[in-house]
Every structure is written in C-alpha cells, then in structure tokens.
Amino acid sequence: MPTSILFTGHMIDKPGRQKPRFPAELEAAVVERLAAAIAPYAPGKMAFVQGFASCAQGGDILFHEQCRVASIATTIVLPFPPEVFLKKSVGGVPGSDWERRFWHLWNTTPEEQRETMNLPPSDDAYGACNIRLLARAREYGAVHLIALWDGRHGDGPGGAADLVARAGAADEPDIFSPWSLMTDP
C-alpha cells in the first residue's frame, strides 16, 4: 500500500522574534532528526512512498531536502503563487539562503508534484493549504505525520498546530519540538 509522509513544521525564527520557537542554531539538529524520521520510508525499505509539505523556510524546506537525500519524491503545495509565497513565508532571515533553496526545490520538482492554489494572500489561506496538503496525502496513500512542533498554538491559522489537529493520522505520528533537540554544551 502506498504511504504518504505528511510534514508540518515551524519556520526558522526571524530576527527579533519575541518567543523563540525554532532558533537558527538548531537547524543542523533538525536536519539530523528529520533524516532519522524519514529513513524507514526510503526506497528499498518501503515501496511507493511520497512526501507532502508546503515549502516555507525552516522545517518545510528541510523536509523536502532530506526526502531528496533519501530518494523520496515530494509534492509541494503553496497557497499563493511562488513569488508571493516567497515574500510571505521564505524571505526575512538576513544572510540566509532560504530563497535559493526554495527556488531549487520548486524548479526541480516535477510539475505534477507542484500545486499553487492561487488564493488571495490572507492568514486563512494557510489553513486552506493545510486542508489541501492533507487531501493530497490521503489520495496517495496511508498518512504518516511528521511534525516539527513545539506543542503550542501558532501565530495564526494554518500553522503546525492546525495540520497536526487536522491530520488525525492512523499510525503513531512522529512529533518533536525544536527544543527537544538542544544539547548542553
């Protein structure tokens, strides 16, 4: 039976965020944890697997990149056209290469595995995007949820908390907080 790996996760904190959620210094630890979460689904261990996520800076982009490392195809769903999504959900972290990484993923993903919903920019569009991601994942196969989530309600509709609540995955979801990955010096 085909399996869908549905991902949701926090964006890397922008400078000056009052309540840190995913500090940039945890990026390497998140990459390692994502690789471990994805490994059981790699080709050769399981047939017919596909990943599903949006493509915001932080967790989403890291998920797509780690799926590619594991040779797992992914589907990207955006609520807005890429240029608008880039301004709202990818840019804003000075000195980062998130924009380049976004365009690389977008441009190298087959057209049938990219969806732009073309919704008007609003907070509600992110919730609609979560609904569409979940629908596409369910259409493909049994859903396994991986979430980089601190367990709190998000900054608005459509964040990680929203998709975790909507998913109701049949199997045991793999949910971890960025803070759980911190190591003492």
Side-chain angles (χ1 to χ4, degrees):
M1 175 178 210
T3 300
S4 298
I5 306 171
L6 177 62
F7 177 80
T8 186
H10 295 308
M11 297 189 337
I12 292 267
D13 295 340
K14 292 183 179 177
R17 181 177 171 87
Q18 286 190 339
K19 292 183 180 179
R21 189 170 55 191
F22 179 3
E25 59 267 18
L26 292 179
E27 181 179 346
V30 168
V31 165
E32 187 175 313
R33 180 62 173 79
L34 280 171
I38 293 166
Y41 299 93
K45 295 181 180 179
M46 185 175 281
F48 307 110
V49 176
Q50 190 164 336
F52 295 83
S54 195
C55 205
Q57 55 90 355
D60 291 350
I61 287 176
L62 297 174
F63 170 76
H64 286 288
E65 290 173 343
Q66 289 309 299
C67 281
R68 288 193 178 190
V69 168
S71 299
I72 296 172
T74 60
T75 292
I76 299 171
V77 179
L78 303 180
F80 323 115
E83 298 77 14
V84 175
F85 186 80
L86 192 75
K87 290 177 186 171
K88 296 199 156 287
S89 300
V90 181
V93 180
S96 74
D97 63 347
W98 293 113
E99 289 184 31
R100 180 196 59 76
R101 291 159 79 177
F102 167 85
W103 282 119
H104 173 75
L105 289 165
W106 183 256
N107 291 327
T108 58
T109 298
E111 193 170 323
E112 65 274 8
Q113 291 167 227
R114 297 183 317 202
E115 181 176 344
T116 301
M117 298 175 68
N118 291 317
L119 298 171
S122 73
D123 286 343
D124 291 334
Y126 294 103
C129 186
N130 279 348
I131 292 168
R132 183 64 184 141
L133 273 166
L134 182 56
R136 291 217 39 187
R138 285 180 173 157
E139 287 168 8
Y140 184 81
V143 176
H144 174 70
L145 177 68
I146 298 174
L148 171 64
W149 180 47
D150 64 5
R152 298 181 187 147
H153 288 288
D155 295 338
D162 175 67
L163 189 52
V164 168
R166 290 181 192 278
D171 69 345
E172 187 66 33
D174 186 351
I175 300 172
F176 58 96
S177 168
W179 298 107
S180 70
L181 306 175
M182 291 193 72
T183 56
D184 293 326

